[in-house]
Amino acid sequence: MSGLTVGVDVGGTKIAAGVVDESGKLIASTRRETPATDTHMVLEAIADGVGELRTHHDVVGVGIGAAGFVDAARATVMFAPNLAWRDEDLRGELSRALDLPVVVENDANAVAWAESRFGAGRDHDDLVAITIGTGVGGGIVTNGRLLRGGYGVAAEIGHITMVPYGRRCGCGLQGCWEQYGSGRALVGEAREIARHSPAFAAGLLAAAGGDAEAITGEMVTAAAQQGDVGGLHCFDEIGRWIGLGLAQLAAVLDPSLFVIGGGVSAAGEVLRGRVEETFRANLTGRGHRPVAEVRLAELGWESGMVGAADLARTSDDSAVPGSDR
């Protein structure tokens, strides 16, 4: 499929849609709030956003990046933790509503695809992209193709068990990686040291007006980038957990590149350097094997839209309006 496509990044709070050309350039975009508890209204919001973009651009397909488990047919969202979708035939409903081919993909897979095609991984055929935000997401590209697994839900790497019977996770299990290496974990660490060691966290408390519970991830990032000891400690902590997780993934997947994206990656080298140090120290067979690079993602907030749009263009799984696929 050639021509302009629309990529839609559907999250728990916002729906971002953008027109993307064949070089991965975002030409135009629009946003809607996510009515997360009403599946019909979510579909309407997606269709409305795509419709707005189509008034000014001739598009040939739509890709949806959904924060949830997408089936192997790239059609149905089986489960979305932050939306009311349960076995939602997203491709069928949207292809009928829009009269356009539609492909549905996990949002972190869409990010990985965008970075592999147009971003930090465009010179690598084998990479793992991790998105560090509220949780930890992931996408795996191997031999230039997304690894989706037998049932479509591969790369849910945030739910690898890092600490048996550890912190309770929103997925229902305990000790998941995202409980230790996510933006939520970063803020939790900052608030804990502010409560128990206020002198050590003086800079963080000053930024939060003296209220430990008011500390945000942006405050921790800014403090660390300015050399604040409390902020740097927090990045030391999550950097170790992220690096340890990368070492486990390398033992199984042996990628040539790890790409770190998501909101926490805005910390830049403060995060990347700490992750790489721990990754190298815990890599099995170190000293006797090539070591994957660790890079920061390049496409930022556009990546989900760009990846979903490109998958709509390149996928052979997109629905044809009026078909039974």
mmCIF file of all heavy atoms in Angstrom, residues 215-269:
data_model
loop_
_atom_site.group_PDB
_atom_site.id
_atom_site.type_symbol
_atom_site.label_atom_id
_atom_site.label_comp_id
_atom_site.label_asym_id
_atom_site.label_seq_id
_atom_site.Cartn_x
_atom_site.Cartn_y
_atom_site.Cartn_z
ATOM 1 N N ILE A 215 5.817 15.463 44.902
ATOM 2 C CA ILE A 215 6.944 15.270 43.990
ATOM 3 C C ILE A 215 6.474 14.535 42.740
ATOM 4 O O ILE A 215 5.766 13.524 42.822
ATOM 5 C CB ILE A 215 8.075 14.482 44.678
ATOM 6 C CG1 ILE A 215 8.667 15.296 45.829
ATOM 7 C CG2 ILE A 215 9.175 14.108 43.685
ATOM 8 C CD1 ILE A 215 9.663 14.522 46.673
ATOM 9 N N THR A 216 6.873 15.035 41.570
ATOM 10 C CA THR A 216 6.506 14.418 40.297
ATOM 11 C C THR A 216 7.752 13.904 39.581
ATOM 12 O O THR A 216 8.886 14.254 39.933
ATOM 13 C CB THR A 216 5.807 15.431 39.381
ATOM 14 O OG1 THR A 216 6.756 16.465 39.016
ATOM 15 C CG2 THR A 216 4.597 16.066 40.067
ATOM 16 N N GLY A 217 7.520 13.101 38.558
ATOM 17 C CA GLY A 217 8.626 12.599 37.767
ATOM 18 C C GLY A 217 9.410 13.704 37.085
ATOM 19 O O GLY A 217 10.643 13.640 36.988
ATOM 20 N N GLU A 218 8.704 14.730 36.625
ATOM 21 C CA GLU A 218 9.385 15.854 35.987
ATOM 22 C C GLU A 218 10.310 16.561 36.965
ATOM 23 O O GLU A 218 11.410 17.001 36.603
ATOM 24 C CB GLU A 218 8.352 16.843 35.435
ATOM 25 C CG GLU A 218 7.576 16.337 34.232
ATOM 26 C CD GLU A 218 6.430 15.399 34.615
ATOM 27 O OE1 GLU A 218 6.170 15.224 35.834
ATOM 28 O OE2 GLU A 218 5.798 14.843 33.696
ATOM 29 N N MET A 219 9.882 16.661 38.227
ATOM 30 C CA MET A 219 10.734 17.283 39.241
ATOM 31 C C MET A 219 11.992 16.455 39.483
ATOM 32 O O MET A 219 13.095 17.001 39.622
ATOM 33 C CB MET A 219 9.970 17.435 40.559
ATOM 34 C CG MET A 219 8.838 18.428 40.530
ATOM 35 S SD MET A 219 7.928 18.402 42.111
ATOM 36 C CE MET A 219 6.546 19.468 41.713
ATOM 37 N N VAL A 220 11.837 15.146 39.534
ATOM 38 C CA VAL A 220 12.997 14.279 39.776
ATOM 39 C C VAL A 220 13.969 14.379 38.605
ATOM 40 O O VAL A 220 15.194 14.466 38.799
ATOM 41 C CB VAL A 220 12.549 12.820 39.984
ATOM 42 C CG1 VAL A 220 13.766 11.942 40.295
ATOM 43 C CG2 VAL A 220 11.530 12.708 41.117
ATOM 44 N N THR A 221 13.436 14.390 37.388
ATOM 45 C CA THR A 221 14.293 14.500 36.203
ATOM 46 C C THR A 221 15.060 15.815 36.199
ATOM 47 O O THR A 221 16.281 15.846 35.980
ATOM 48 C CB THR A 221 13.447 14.379 34.927
ATOM 49 O OG1 THR A 221 12.873 13.072 34.864
ATOM 50 C CG2 THR A 221 14.289 14.617 33.680
ATOM 51 N N ALA A 222 14.351 16.916 36.444
ATOM 52 C CA ALA A 222 15.006 18.225 36.454
ATOM 53 C C ALA A 222 16.088 18.289 37.525
ATOM 54 O O ALA A 222 17.188 18.804 37.287
ATOM 55 C CB ALA A 222 13.971 19.325 36.673
ATOM 56 N N ALA A 223 15.789 17.751 38.706
ATOM 57 C CA ALA A 223 16.769 17.777 39.792
ATOM 58 C C ALA A 223 18.009 16.976 39.427
ATOM 59 O O ALA A 223 19.151 17.413 39.649
ATOM 60 C CB ALA A 223 16.132 17.234 41.065
ATOM 61 N N ALA A 224 17.805 15.781 38.862
ATOM 62 C CA ALA A 224 18.941 14.936 38.497
ATOM 63 C C ALA A 224 19.796 15.590 37.427
ATOM 64 O O ALA A 224 21.031 15.546 37.492
ATOM 65 C CB ALA A 224 18.441 13.579 38.016
ATOM 66 N N GLN A 225 19.157 16.206 36.448
ATOM 67 C CA GLN A 225 19.916 16.869 35.384
ATOM 68 C C GLN A 225 20.720 18.054 35.892
ATOM 69 O O GLN A 225 21.716 18.444 35.281
ATOM 70 C CB GLN A 225 18.971 17.296 34.265
ATOM 71 C CG GLN A 225 18.406 16.119 33.474
ATOM 72 C CD GLN A 225 17.395 16.539 32.432
ATOM 73 O OE1 GLN A 225 16.662 17.508 32.611
ATOM 74 N NE2 GLN A 225 17.330 15.798 31.340
ATOM 75 N N GLN A 226 20.280 18.620 37.035
ATOM 76 C CA GLN A 226 21.007 19.734 37.649
ATOM 77 C C GLN A 226 22.037 19.270 38.673
ATOM 78 O O GLN A 226 22.671 20.077 39.347
ATOM 79 C CB GLN A 226 20.003 20.683 38.306
ATOM 80 C CG GLN A 226 19.103 21.398 37.304
ATOM 81 C CD GLN A 226 17.880 22.019 37.949
ATOM 82 O OE1 GLN A 226 17.820 22.163 39.180
ATOM 83 N NE2 GLN A 226 16.902 22.393 37.138
ATOM 84 N N GLY A 227 22.199 17.939 38.811
ATOM 85 C CA GLY A 227 23.197 17.395 39.716
ATOM 86 C C GLY A 227 22.737 17.212 41.142
ATOM 87 O O GLY A 227 23.551 16.928 42.033
ATOM 88 N N ASP A 228 21.429 17.331 41.405
ATOM 89 C CA ASP A 228 20.911 17.170 42.756
ATOM 90 C C ASP A 228 21.131 15.734 43.234
ATOM 91 O O ASP A 228 20.820 14.766 42.537
ATOM 92 C CB ASP A 228 19.413 17.491 42.773
ATOM 93 C CG ASP A 228 18.782 17.238 44.129
ATOM 94 O OD1 ASP A 228 18.961 18.073 45.028
ATOM 95 O OD2 ASP A 228 18.128 16.177 44.278
ATOM 96 N N VAL A 229 21.649 15.595 44.444
ATOM 97 C CA VAL A 229 22.022 14.273 44.940
ATOM 98 C C VAL A 229 20.808 13.355 45.096
ATOM 99 O O VAL A 229 20.877 12.160 44.797
ATOM 100 C CB VAL A 229 22.810 14.386 46.274
ATOM 101 C CG1 VAL A 229 21.953 15.006 47.381
ATOM 102 C CG2 VAL A 229 23.349 13.038 46.704
ATOM 103 N N GLY A 230 19.679 13.904 45.566
ATOM 104 C CA GLY A 230 18.486 13.076 45.721
ATOM 105 C C GLY A 230 17.942 12.617 44.384
ATOM 106 O O GLY A 230 17.573 11.444 44.218
ATOM 107 N N GLY A 231 17.879 13.519 43.410
ATOM 108 C CA GLY A 231 17.406 13.146 42.087
ATOM 109 C C GLY A 231 18.299 12.111 41.427
ATOM 110 O O GLY A 231 17.820 11.145 40.814
ATOM 111 N N LEU A 232 19.613 12.281 41.557
ATOM 112 C CA LEU A 232 20.542 11.314 40.978
ATOM 113 C C LEU A 232 20.406 9.946 41.634
ATOM 114 O O LEU A 232 20.495 8.912 40.965
ATOM 115 C CB LEU A 232 21.978 11.823 41.114
ATOM 116 C CG LEU A 232 22.341 13.007 40.214
ATOM 117 C CD1 LEU A 232 23.707 13.560 40.593
ATOM 118 C CD2 LEU A 232 22.325 12.595 38.743
ATOM 119 N N HIS A 233 20.171 9.929 42.935
ATOM 120 C CA HIS A 233 19.968 8.657 43.627
ATOM 121 C C HIS A 233 18.776 7.904 43.039
ATOM 122 O O HIS A 233 18.843 6.681 42.847
ATOM 123 C CB HIS A 233 19.737 8.885 45.128
ATOM 124 C CG HIS A 233 19.154 7.689 45.809
ATOM 125 N ND1 HIS A 233 19.911 6.617 46.216
ATOM 126 C CD2 HIS A 233 17.856 7.390 46.135
ATOM 127 C CE1 HIS A 233 19.123 5.701 46.765
ATOM 128 N NE2 HIS A 233 17.877 6.150 46.730
ATOM 129 N N CYS A 234 17.694 8.607 42.755
ATOM 130 C CA CYS A 234 16.498 7.965 42.206
ATOM 131 C C CYS A 234 16.782 7.345 40.845
ATOM 132 O O CYS A 234 16.318 6.246 40.540
ATOM 133 C CB CYS A 234 15.359 8.965 42.101
ATOM 134 S SG CYS A 234 14.786 9.588 43.694
ATOM 135 N N PHE A 235 17.582 8.032 40.025
ATOM 136 C CA PHE A 235 17.931 7.468 38.725
ATOM 137 C C PHE A 235 18.948 6.342 38.856
ATOM 138 O O PHE A 235 18.960 5.416 38.036
ATOM 139 C CB PHE A 235 18.417 8.568 37.778
ATOM 140 C CG PHE A 235 17.282 9.260 37.075
ATOM 141 C CD1 PHE A 235 16.765 10.443 37.579
ATOM 142 C CD2 PHE A 235 16.697 8.700 35.952
ATOM 143 C CE1 PHE A 235 15.700 11.077 36.951
ATOM 144 C CE2 PHE A 235 15.629 9.321 35.320
ATOM 145 C CZ PHE A 235 15.128 10.515 35.819
ATOM 146 N N ASP A 236 19.805 6.405 39.872
ATOM 147 C CA ASP A 236 20.677 5.266 40.153
ATOM 148 C C ASP A 236 19.834 4.017 40.387
ATOM 149 O O ASP A 236 20.130 2.934 39.875
ATOM 150 C CB ASP A 236 21.523 5.530 41.408
ATOM 151 C CG ASP A 236 22.658 6.505 41.175
ATOM 152 O OD1 ASP A 236 23.024 6.728 40.006
ATOM 153 O OD2 ASP A 236 23.168 7.050 42.173
ATOM 154 N N GLU A 237 18.776 4.188 41.163
ATOM 155 C CA GLU A 237 17.928 3.055 41.549
ATOM 156 C C GLU A 237 17.206 2.462 40.343
ATOM 157 O O GLU A 237 17.302 1.260 40.069
ATOM 158 C CB GLU A 237 16.927 3.508 42.616
ATOM 159 C CG GLU A 237 16.056 2.397 43.176
ATOM 160 C CD GLU A 237 16.802 1.422 44.063
ATOM 161 O OE1 GLU A 237 17.970 1.701 44.425
ATOM 162 O OE2 GLU A 237 16.229 0.368 44.377
ATOM 163 N N ILE A 238 16.456 3.279 39.599
ATOM 164 C CA ILE A 238 15.707 2.670 38.489
ATOM 165 C C ILE A 238 16.642 2.291 37.339
ATOM 166 O O ILE A 238 16.362 1.336 36.606
ATOM 167 C CB ILE A 238 14.538 3.540 37.993
ATOM 168 C CG1 ILE A 238 15.007 4.757 37.216
ATOM 169 C CG2 ILE A 238 13.593 3.903 39.096
ATOM 170 C CD1 ILE A 238 13.935 5.286 36.282
ATOM 171 N N GLY A 239 17.766 3.001 37.190
ATOM 172 C CA GLY A 239 18.722 2.632 36.155
ATOM 173 C C GLY A 239 19.266 1.238 36.367
ATOM 174 O O GLY A 239 19.457 0.471 35.416
ATOM 175 N N ARG A 240 19.504 0.880 37.634
ATOM 176 C CA ARG A 240 19.975 -0.471 37.938
ATOM 177 C C ARG A 240 18.932 -1.516 37.558
ATOM 178 O O ARG A 240 19.255 -2.545 36.959
ATOM 179 C CB ARG A 240 20.327 -0.588 39.425
ATOM 180 C CG ARG A 240 21.668 0.025 39.787
ATOM 181 C CD ARG A 240 22.105 -0.416 41.171
ATOM 182 N NE ARG A 240 21.250 0.140 42.213
ATOM 183 C CZ ARG A 240 21.520 1.264 42.866
ATOM 184 N NH1 ARG A 240 22.584 1.970 42.569
ATOM 185 N NH2 ARG A 240 20.704 1.687 43.818
ATOM 186 N N TRP A 241 17.678 -1.245 37.903
ATOM 187 C CA TRP A 241 16.630 -2.217 37.599
ATOM 188 C C TRP A 241 16.423 -2.368 36.092
ATOM 189 O O TRP A 241 16.235 -3.480 35.582
ATOM 190 C CB TRP A 241 15.322 -1.813 38.275
ATOM 191 C CG TRP A 241 15.290 -2.111 39.733
ATOM 192 C CD1 TRP A 241 15.308 -1.219 40.765
ATOM 193 C CD2 TRP A 241 15.243 -3.412 40.335
ATOM 194 N NE1 TRP A 241 15.275 -1.878 41.976
ATOM 195 C CE2 TRP A 241 15.234 -3.231 41.736
ATOM 196 C CE3 TRP A 241 15.212 -4.713 39.839
ATOM 197 C CZ2 TRP A 241 15.184 -4.283 42.637
ATOM 198 C CZ3 TRP A 241 15.161 -5.777 40.736
ATOM 199 C CH2 TRP A 241 15.152 -5.555 42.116
ATOM 200 N N ILE A 242 16.450 -1.250 35.377
ATOM 201 C CA ILE A 242 16.267 -1.332 33.924
ATOM 202 C C ILE A 242 17.441 -2.072 33.282
ATOM 203 O O ILE A 242 17.258 -2.952 32.433
ATOM 204 C CB ILE A 242 16.102 0.071 33.310
ATOM 205 C CG1 ILE A 242 14.832 0.743 33.844
ATOM 206 C CG2 ILE A 242 16.032 -0.030 31.784
ATOM 207 C CD1 ILE A 242 14.727 2.219 33.499
ATOM 208 N N GLY A 243 18.659 -1.739 33.696
ATOM 209 C CA GLY A 243 19.831 -2.414 33.146
ATOM 210 C C GLY A 243 19.834 -3.896 33.424
ATOM 211 O O GLY A 243 20.212 -4.708 32.563
ATOM 212 N N LEU A 244 19.408 -4.277 34.621
ATOM 213 C CA LEU A 244 19.329 -5.696 34.959
ATOM 214 C C LEU A 244 18.329 -6.407 34.053
ATOM 215 O O LEU A 244 18.583 -7.517 33.559
ATOM 216 C CB LEU A 244 18.918 -5.851 36.425
ATOM 217 C CG LEU A 244 18.905 -7.268 36.996
ATOM 218 C CD1 LEU A 244 20.289 -7.893 36.916
ATOM 219 C CD2 LEU A 244 18.407 -7.257 38.440
ATOM 220 N N GLY A 245 17.192 -5.757 33.796
ATOM 221 C CA GLY A 245 16.201 -6.345 32.902
ATOM 222 C C GLY A 245 16.727 -6.505 31.486
ATOM 223 O O GLY A 245 16.466 -7.521 30.819
ATOM 224 N N LEU A 246 17.472 -5.511 31.004
ATOM 225 C CA LEU A 246 18.036 -5.618 29.658
ATOM 226 C C LEU A 246 18.996 -6.803 29.561
ATOM 227 O O LEU A 246 19.048 -7.492 28.530
ATOM 228 C CB LEU A 246 18.769 -4.337 29.274
ATOM 229 C CG LEU A 246 17.962 -3.045 29.160
ATOM 230 C CD1 LEU A 246 18.789 -1.972 28.442
ATOM 231 C CD2 LEU A 246 16.641 -3.254 28.449
ATOM 232 N N ALA A 247 19.758 -7.040 30.614
ATOM 233 C CA ALA A 247 20.677 -8.177 30.601
ATOM 234 C C ALA A 247 19.921 -9.493 30.481
ATOM 235 O O ALA A 247 20.372 -10.417 29.784
ATOM 236 C CB ALA A 247 21.542 -8.166 31.865
ATOM 237 N N GLN A 248 18.767 -9.594 31.144
ATOM 238 C CA GLN A 248 17.957 -10.815 31.033
ATOM 239 C C GLN A 248 17.417 -10.970 29.615
ATOM 240 O O GLN A 248 17.405 -12.075 29.050
ATOM 241 C CB GLN A 248 16.793 -10.776 32.029
ATOM 242 C CG GLN A 248 17.145 -10.413 33.460
ATOM 243 C CD GLN A 248 18.309 -11.196 34.004
ATOM 244 O OE1 GLN A 248 18.320 -12.424 33.978
ATOM 245 N NE2 GLN A 248 19.321 -10.491 34.491
ATOM 246 N N LEU A 249 16.962 -9.874 29.033
ATOM 247 C CA LEU A 249 16.446 -9.933 27.667
ATOM 248 C C LEU A 249 17.548 -10.294 26.677
ATOM 249 O O LEU A 249 17.326 -11.054 25.723
ATOM 250 C CB LEU A 249 15.828 -8.591 27.282
ATOM 251 C CG LEU A 249 14.538 -8.210 28.012
ATOM 252 C CD1 LEU A 249 14.145 -6.773 27.682
ATOM 253 C CD2 LEU A 249 13.403 -9.158 27.643
ATOM 254 N N ALA A 250 18.753 -9.774 26.895
ATOM 255 C CA ALA A 250 19.858 -10.080 25.997
ATOM 256 C C ALA A 250 20.211 -11.561 26.031
ATOM 257 O O ALA A 250 20.594 -12.144 25.008
ATOM 258 C CB ALA A 250 21.081 -9.239 26.361
ATOM 259 N N ALA A 251 20.076 -12.169 27.196
ATOM 260 C CA ALA A 251 20.380 -13.594 27.314
ATOM 261 C C ALA A 251 19.433 -14.447 26.477
ATOM 262 O O ALA A 251 19.804 -15.522 25.993
ATOM 263 C CB ALA A 251 20.300 -14.015 28.787
ATOM 264 N N VAL A 252 18.219 -13.955 26.267
ATOM 265 C CA VAL A 252 17.217 -14.715 25.511
ATOM 266 C C VAL A 252 17.188 -14.297 24.042
ATOM 267 O O VAL A 252 17.143 -15.147 23.142
ATOM 268 C CB VAL A 252 15.817 -14.522 26.135
ATOM 269 C CG1 VAL A 252 14.760 -15.249 25.324
ATOM 270 C CG2 VAL A 252 15.801 -14.987 27.586
ATOM 271 N N LEU A 253 17.216 -12.985 23.785
ATOM 272 C CA LEU A 253 16.946 -12.472 22.443
ATOM 273 C C LEU A 253 18.193 -12.071 21.661
ATOM 274 O O LEU A 253 18.153 -12.022 20.438
ATOM 275 C CB LEU A 253 16.013 -11.262 22.542
ATOM 276 C CG LEU A 253 14.645 -11.540 23.146
ATOM 277 C CD1 LEU A 253 13.925 -10.227 23.439
ATOM 278 C CD2 LEU A 253 13.807 -12.406 22.205
ATOM 279 N N ASP A 254 19.281 -11.728 22.350
ATOM 280 C CA ASP A 254 20.533 -11.322 21.723
ATOM 281 C C ASP A 254 20.334 -10.231 20.670
ATOM 282 O O ASP A 254 20.787 -10.356 19.538
ATOM 283 C CB ASP A 254 21.222 -12.526 21.082
ATOM 284 C CG ASP A 254 22.640 -12.215 20.596
ATOM 285 O OD1 ASP A 254 23.305 -11.372 21.225
ATOM 286 O OD2 ASP A 254 23.054 -12.794 19.573
ATOM 287 N N PRO A 255 19.669 -9.122 21.010
ATOM 288 C CA PRO A 255 19.531 -8.035 20.031
ATOM 289 C C PRO A 255 20.856 -7.301 19.877
ATOM 290 O O PRO A 255 21.728 -7.365 20.742
ATOM 291 C CB PRO A 255 18.475 -7.126 20.663
ATOM 292 C CG PRO A 255 18.718 -7.291 22.135
ATOM 293 C CD PRO A 255 19.101 -8.740 22.323
ATOM 294 N N SER A 256 21.002 -6.575 18.775
ATOM 295 C CA SER A 256 22.195 -5.752 18.602
ATOM 296 C C SER A 256 21.996 -4.354 19.165
ATOM 297 O O SER A 256 22.959 -3.588 19.270
ATOM 298 C CB SER A 256 22.571 -5.657 17.127
ATOM 299 O OG SER A 256 21.503 -5.124 16.361
ATOM 300 N N LEU A 257 20.736 -4.030 19.545
ATOM 301 C CA LEU A 257 20.446 -2.685 20.029
ATOM 302 C C LEU A 257 19.270 -2.704 20.985
ATOM 303 O O LEU A 257 18.281 -3.403 20.758
ATOM 304 C CB LEU A 257 20.102 -1.769 18.843
ATOM 305 C CG LEU A 257 19.643 -0.344 19.164
ATOM 306 C CD1 LEU A 257 20.790 0.471 19.750
ATOM 307 C CD2 LEU A 257 19.098 0.348 17.909
ATOM 308 N N PHE A 258 19.386 -1.915 22.049
ATOM 309 C CA PHE A 258 18.251 -1.574 22.904
ATOM 310 C C PHE A 258 17.955 -0.092 22.714
ATOM 311 O O PHE A 258 18.864 0.735 22.745
ATOM 312 C CB PHE A 258 18.563 -1.842 24.379
ATOM 313 C CG PHE A 258 18.598 -3.290 24.757
ATOM 314 C CD1 PHE A 258 19.816 -3.941 24.924
ATOM 315 C CD2 PHE A 258 17.428 -4.001 24.949
ATOM 316 C CE1 PHE A 258 19.861 -5.284 25.281
ATOM 317 C CE2 PHE A 258 17.454 -5.346 25.296
ATOM 318 C CZ PHE A 258 18.676 -5.982 25.457
ATOM 319 N N VAL A 259 16.685 0.225 22.525
ATOM 320 C CA VAL A 259 16.242 1.610 22.399
ATOM 321 C C VAL A 259 15.358 1.929 23.594
ATOM 322 O O VAL A 259 14.377 1.215 23.859
ATOM 323 C CB VAL A 259 15.460 1.840 21.092
ATOM 324 C CG1 VAL A 259 14.957 3.278 21.023
ATOM 325 C CG2 VAL A 259 16.330 1.539 19.882
ATOM 326 N N ILE A 260 15.678 2.993 24.312
ATOM 327 C CA ILE A 260 14.917 3.389 25.492
ATOM 328 C C ILE A 260 14.083 4.614 25.163
ATOM 329 O O ILE A 260 14.612 5.664 24.808
ATOM 330 C CB ILE A 260 15.843 3.708 26.679
ATOM 331 C CG1 ILE A 260 16.731 2.510 27.005
ATOM 332 C CG2 ILE A 260 15.019 4.105 27.904
ATOM 333 C CD1 ILE A 260 17.749 2.797 28.100
ATOM 334 N N GLY A 261 12.776 4.475 25.272
ATOM 335 C CA GLY A 261 11.861 5.573 25.033
ATOM 336 C C GLY A 261 10.895 5.739 26.182
ATOM 337 O O GLY A 261 11.110 5.229 27.285
ATOM 338 N N GLY A 262 9.803 6.449 25.935
ATOM 339 C CA GLY A 262 8.836 6.732 26.988
ATOM 340 C C GLY A 262 9.189 8.009 27.728
ATOM 341 O O GLY A 262 10.279 8.582 27.567
ATOM 342 N N GLY A 263 8.275 8.464 28.560
ATOM 343 C CA GLY A 263 8.429 9.749 29.233
ATOM 344 C C GLY A 263 9.675 9.873 30.075
ATOM 345 O O GLY A 263 10.298 10.940 30.123
ATOM 346 N N VAL A 264 10.089 8.801 30.746
ATOM 347 C CA VAL A 264 11.254 8.868 31.626
ATOM 348 C C VAL A 264 12.544 9.048 30.834
ATOM 349 O O VAL A 264 13.538 9.569 31.348
ATOM 350 C CB VAL A 264 11.317 7.619 32.528
ATOM 351 C CG1 VAL A 264 12.539 7.644 33.443
ATOM 352 C CG2 VAL A 264 10.051 7.525 33.383
ATOM 353 N N SER A 265 12.533 8.658 29.559
ATOM 354 C CA SER A 265 13.744 8.799 28.741
ATOM 355 C C SER A 265 14.094 10.256 28.487
ATOM 356 O O SER A 265 15.193 10.559 28.004
ATOM 357 C CB SER A 265 13.587 8.064 27.408
ATOM 358 O OG SER A 265 12.651 8.712 26.564
ATOM 359 N N ALA A 266 13.184 11.176 28.834
ATOM 360 C CA ALA A 266 13.496 12.609 28.713
ATOM 361 C C ALA A 266 14.677 12.996 29.604
ATOM 362 O O ALA A 266 15.294 14.050 29.406
ATOM 363 C CB ALA A 266 12.279 13.456 29.082
ATOM 364 N N ALA A 267 15.023 12.158 30.575
ATOM 365 C CA ALA A 267 16.192 12.414 31.428
ATOM 366 C C ALA A 267 17.494 12.286 30.651
ATOM 367 O O ALA A 267 18.545 12.709 31.131
ATOM 368 C CB ALA A 267 16.197 11.462 32.618
ATOM 369 N N GLY A 268 17.441 11.688 29.465
ATOM 370 C CA GLY A 268 18.612 11.601 28.602
ATOM 371 C C GLY A 268 19.719 10.748 29.175
ATOM 372 O O GLY A 268 19.494 9.646 29.677
ATOM 373 N N GLU A 269 20.939 11.278 29.152
ATOM 374 C CA GLU A 269 22.107 10.508 29.560
ATOM 375 C C GLU A 269 22.083 10.166 31.045
ATOM 376 O O GLU A 269 22.686 9.169 31.465
ATOM 377 C CB GLU A 269 23.381 11.286 29.215
ATOM 378 C CG GLU A 269 24.664 10.501 29.371
ATOM 379 C CD GLU A 269 24.750 9.283 28.465
ATOM 380 O OE1 GLU A 269 24.048 9.250 27.425
ATOM 381 O OE2 GLU A 269 25.517 8.359 28.798
#
